[in-house]
Amino acid sequence: MGWRARAPAVMGWRARALAVLVVAAAALWCLAAAAAGAAGDADAGGLERAFPIVEPDYGHTKLRLAKEGLEAIQRIKTPVAAVSVIGPYRSGKSFLLNQLLSLSCDKGFGVGHMRDTKTKGIWVLDTPIEVDIDGSIVSVLYLDTEGFESVGKSNVYDDRIFALATVLSSVLIYNLPETIREADISRLSFAVEIAEEFYGRVKGQDVAFEPAKLLWLIQRDFLQGKSVQQMVDEALQRVPNNNGDKYINEINQIRDSLAVMGDNSTAFSLPQPHLQRTQLCDLDDKELDPLYLKRRDQLKQIVSSLIKPKVVQGRTLNGTEFVSFLGQIVEVLNKGEIPSTGSLVEVFNKAIVERCLKLYNERMGRAGLPVSVDKLQQFHDLAKDEARSLFDKQHFGKHHAAQSTSKLDEEIIKVFRNFGQANEYQSSKLCEARFSECEDKMEHLQVLKLPSMAKFDAGFLLCNQRFEMDCIGPAKESYQRRMSKMLARSRSLFIKEYNNKLFNWLVIFSLIMVVIGRFVIKFFLLEIAAWVMFAFLETYTRLFWSSESLYYNPVWHVVVSTWETIVYNPILDLDRWAIPILAVLSFLAIYWRCLGGRKGIARSLLPLYNGSYRSSNRPRTD
């Protein structure tokens, strides 16, 4: 009984536990399914959601890149085009982009209905729209920009947003509610300057970038009366300025420029899609105004016809290049207090300036350093003219290229200064080498074994000629002065030692001839002549000729001329061959002395020391 009584209780407890487990499992499955569904919706929505690529800084005055958002653009390998919508805040820019892309508000750009602006910076969809343009697939980026004149930011920030959109876009849609205001004309001044600076070069070989096609889009509730084109034409008419107001003059100049840009702009009107503007995101096409739908489709066709790939410096940009270009422009626009066209012109002229400098360097490299200062200046003038001519043909900017021109001139001056320093160094190096050679040559001539004024003069002349021919460049003048002093000093020293050396050599020569005449060939007349010469040199010259007058004495000149003829002449340099010649003569003298008597040679000579008194046959007398 006890067991049977407990059995139902146990079974009831098990049933309740099993039921709890089933309910818990079902709840967990439902939560997992809901989470998966939410994640799937998030992923599905994320494929077509927008993200920022440019954001305002903390002070809402300058721009900064949203690097996380740019990664999607960098993956684009096809050519890129950009369509931007600009205009006042709360003017329906985000909704217009969604309509152009046929996207709902939850899948496209976020649409706000509050007083503050919904879009901060510049936003883009993470999935570009691929279109076929002239047989090529082009990825079109639709850019939503932060509205003008919203609270909490400066006017210079609006200028930067407008300038960036103008530069990046292939099509620039200026979205205006109701009508065109004076402030709208004034804001277009940057676009006008861009067109003036770059549009004239679009058809040339070097293209910086083609300014965006400007589409005036006016959304209004009424379509009667004037057309949008008439409204644009009237807005661009000059305003009378009898008082010479500066601001009106500037606005009139913008009007004139915009009127000239007529072939680069289009006017289009778009009626309001629905009276309840705050509910537009909740309405289907069938609930919108049929006229709006018709005009919207026409607008899509116009925008599609205006889209062209973004071309910068002559080539279309892919995703990576587009992001790099974006970063470059943001950096330029953030540099100054106010974004200027001149800064933008400098960016695109930078590569051209570098090409011109490269050309200048190549032309200057042909000079072949070292060269004279005048010749280097001639090369500089020709190279500079070629570089400036290339710059004039390829540079961008009709009114703001002066700074790039000054930059080119400054860089050319720096390069020319470097060439001048290199020329001075090469010239000094070459002239120093030639000067050292001449100095060594003069020192060598000072220690000739047999001094020769003719040999010294020949070496002096050859050294000077080589120096004048080889030493060129700016260092030549200073080295010429050093050369003149060195040569004059060497010549003076040589002349000073020349007479003493020559006199001593003549004394030695006379003593040698005495020995030869007495003991070698035993030629009595030769010995006598040698003694006379020795006596004359040691007595008469020292008594009656001073060292100064000796050089100017006619007799001494005869001696010097004879000596120079023997020691140095075009045929024989006795200083070089003296020892070999002396050795040969000594050998011949010994040979003649030893063997000449046997062959009867000595008998044919003049009287010698032959001891004839001993060989007499006369009888002795007492």
Side-chain angles (χ1 to χ4, degrees):
M1 288 293 292
W3 178 83
R4 289 182 179 179
R6 292 194 298 271
V10 172
M11 293 178 62
W13 177 81
R14 289 179 177 176
R16 288 195 299 271
L18 180 62
V20 171
L21 289 175
V22 170
V23 172
L28 291 175
W29 181 85
C30 291
L31 290 174
D41 292 341
D43 293 341
L47 293 176
E48 293 179 340
R49 292 299 296 174
F51 55 85
I53 58 174
V54 175
E55 297 175 326
D57 65 355
Y58 178 77
H60 222 115
T61 57
K62 294 186 178 182
L63 309 175
R64 65 184 180 188
L65 298 178
K67 296 183 179 179
E68 296 80 6
L70 296 175
E71 294 177 356
I73 299 179
Q74 289 178 324
R75 292 193 291 268
I76 300 175
K77 303 301 181 183
T78 58
V80 172
V83 176
S84 299
V85 178
I86 62 173
Y89 83 106
R90 306 299 304 115
S91 60
K93 299 185 298 300
S94 300
F95 180 78
L96 174 63
L97 280 171
N98 291 335
Q99 290 293 296
L100 293 176
L101 295 169
S102 301
L103 295 175
S104 61
C105 294
D106 59 340
K107 290 186 177 181
F109 294 96
V111 177
H113 302 295
M114 304 301 292
R115 185 173 184 273
D116 60 337
T117 180
K118 176 72 174 178
T119 304
K120 301 290 186 181
I122 297 179
W123 289 55
V124 66
L125 290 180
D126 58 359
T127 303
I129 308 301
E130 294 187 348
V131 297
D132 188 329
I133 299 178
D134 298 331
S136 299
I137 300 299
V138 177
S139 298
V140 183
L141 303 175
Y142 283 82
L143 306 180
D144 189 11
T145 64
E146 185 172 351
F148 304 145
E149 303 170 354
S150 64
V151 295
K153 59 192 180 74
S154 63
N155 290 333
V156 69
Y157 175 79
D158 289 346
D159 293 338
R160 287 191 169 97
I161 289 291
F162 178 81
L164 183 58
T166 302
V167 174
L168 290 180
S169 304
S170 301
V171 180
L172 185 66
I173 302 176
Y174 201 170
N175 185 53
L176 297 172
E178 303 298 338
T179 186
I180 301 174
R181 300 173 302 167
E182 200 71 34
D184 300 324
I185 300 295
S186 177
R187 185 169 287 114
L188 285 172
S189 61
F190 189 88
V192 170
E193 289 185 2
I194 290 293
E196 288 182 340
E197 296 298 314
F198 294 98
Y199 189 67
R201 296 195 56 82
V202 168
K203 298 179 181 180
Q205 288 185 343
D206 288 311
V207 179
F209 63 91
E210 183 174 358
K213 297 288 185 180
L214 178 60
L215 176 59
W216 298 83
L217 178 62
I218 301 179
Q219 300 189 43
R220 56 178 181 166
D221 295 325
F222 54 91
L223 292 176
Q224 293 80 16
K226 300 176 183 178
S227 66
V228 174
Q229 188 62 55
Q230 289 176 332
M231 293 175 60
V232 171
D233 293 339
E234 288 182 2
L236 297 182
Q237 289 181 358
R238 293 179 63 88
V239 177
N241 186 18
N242 298 327
N243 298 326
D245 186 274
K246 182 179 180 181
Y247 175 76
I248 296 179
N249 281 335
E250 294 177 354
I251 296 297
N252 283 335
Q253 291 177 1
I254 298 173
R255 285 186 169 92
D256 294 340
S257 299
L258 286 171
V260 172
M261 289 174 57
D263 59 346
N264 199 43
S265 63
T266 303
F268 193 82
S269 64
L270 194 64
Q272 295 297 331
H274 197 273
L275 294 177
Q276 299 295 330
R277 292 179 59 84
T278 58
Q279 301 177 4
L280 290 178
C281 287
D282 302 326
L283 301 177
D284 296 330
D285 280 359
K286 61 184 179 180
E287 300 177 80
L288 300 179
D289 190 328
L291 181 59
Y292 168 80
L293 297 178
K294 178 181 178 182
R295 298 290 291 175
R296 182 195 66 184
D297 294 338
Q298 293 176 354
L299 178 62
K300 287 182 180 180
Q301 295 178 358
I302 292 176
V303 172
S304 299
S305 65
L306 296 176
I307 294 175
K308 297 293 182 183
K310 192 63 182 177
V311 177
V312 176
Q313 296 291 61
R315 70 176 187 274
T316 56
L317 302 184
N318 58 24
T320 301
E321 294 166 338
F322 184 84
V323 171
S324 175
F325 179 63
L326 170 63
Q328 189 179 29
I329 301 304
V330 168
E331 181 181 357
V332 172
L333 295 177
N334 282 336
K335 277 185 177 180
E337 292 298 326
I338 299 176
S340 65
T341 309
S343 300
L344 199 61
V345 169
E346 291 179 34
V347 172
F348 291 98
N349 282 340
K350 181 179 180 181
I352 300 174
V353 169
E354 291 176 354
R355 284 203 298 270
C356 294
L357 287 175
K358 183 179 179 180
L359 175 64
Y360 176 82
N361 275 282
E362 290 176 354
R363 296 296 184 267
M364 290 296 292
R366 297 177 182 178
L369 304 182
V371 295
S372 64
V373 176
D374 293 339
K375 190 173 182 180
L376 186 66
Q377 184 66 41
Q378 292 176 0
F379 273 96
H380 164 70
D381 293 338
L382 293 175
K384 181 179 179 181
D385 290 343
E386 288 192 44
R388 288 294 301 273
S389 177
L390 178 64
F391 181 81
D392 292 340
K393 291 179 180 178
Q394 297 186 359
H395 81 274
F396 300 100
K398 296 180 180 179
H399 308 294
H400 294 86
Q403 192 164 357
S404 297
T405 304
S406 300
K407 179 69 173 177
L408 176 61
D409 291 339
E410 290 175 2
E411 293 298 324
I412 286 178
I413 291 174
K414 291 180 181 178
V415 175
F416 178 62
R417 188 180 298 117
N418 292 336
F419 268 98
Q421 293 175 353
N423 190 42
E424 290 181 2
Y425 172 75
Q426 295 290 343
S427 176
S428 299
K429 186 177 179 181
L430 181 61
C431 292
E432 179 66 29
R434 294 296 173 265
F435 177 82
S436 298
E437 290 178 3
C438 288
E439 198 170 33
D440 294 341
K441 182 68 174 178
M442 293 299 101
E443 290 179 359
H444 174 72
L445 292 175
Q446 295 290 344
V447 294
L448 290 175
K449 292 183 289 293
L450 298 176
S452 170
M453 181 62 70
K455 187 173 184 178
F456 180 87
D457 289 340
F460 182 96
L461 181 61
L462 178 62
C463 184
N464 196 41
Q465 288 177 344
R466 287 196 60 187
F467 176 83
E468 290 293 333
M469 181 176 61
D470 295 341
C471 177
I472 54 179
K476 183 172 184 177
E477 184 176 356
S478 60
Y479 273 90
Q480 276 181 329
R481 293 193 294 268
R482 290 182 59 188
M483 188 75 174
S484 299
K485 292 179 181 179
M486 187 272 291
L487 292 178
R489 184 172 59 253
S490 298
R491 185 177 182 83
S492 176
L493 181 61
F494 183 83
I495 291 175
K496 181 178 180 181
E497 298 295 329
Y498 177 77
N499 290 325
N500 294 332
K501 288 183 178 181
L502 179 57
F503 185 85
N504 293 334
W505 271 109
L506 290 177
V507 171
I508 294 172
F509 176 75
S510 62
L511 293 177
I512 292 174
M513 295 308 296
V514 168
V515 174
I516 292 175
R518 183 173 182 82
F519 299 104
V520 179
I521 63 175
K522 294 184 179 181
F523 188 16
F524 181 73
L525 295 180
L526 179 60
E527 180 185 359
I528 295 298
W531 279 116
V532 171
M533 180 179 178
F534 177 79
F536 174 79
L537 292 174
E538 286 295 327
T539 58
Y540 187 81
T541 56
R542 295 185 184 278
L543 292 175
F544 301 101
W545 289 351
S546 64
S547 58
E548 291 79 9
S549 61
L550 180 65
Y551 181 76
Y552 299 102
N553 191 281
V555 177
W556 184 251
H557 279 185
V558 174
V559 174
V560 170
S561 299
T562 305
W563 170 265
E564 293 290 343
T565 303
I566 297 173
V567 172
Y568 181 78
N569 56 75
I571 300 175
L572 180 65
D573 182 3
L574 196 59
D575 185 77
R576 183 178 180 183
W577 297 99
I579 294 177
I581 292 175
L582 183 60
V584 171
L585 291 177
S586 300
F587 174 77
L588 292 176
I590 295 173
Y591 178 81
W592 178 82
R593 180 69 180 85
C594 297
L595 301 178
R598 298 178 184 178
K599 298 180 180 181
I601 299 176
R603 304 297 181 182
S604 62
L605 297 177
L606 292 175
L608 301 174
Y609 298 103
N610 53 11
S612 59
Y613 63 93
R614 294 181 181 179
S615 61
S616 176
N617 294 324
R618 290 183 302 170
R620 295 180 61 185
T621 61
D622 297 334

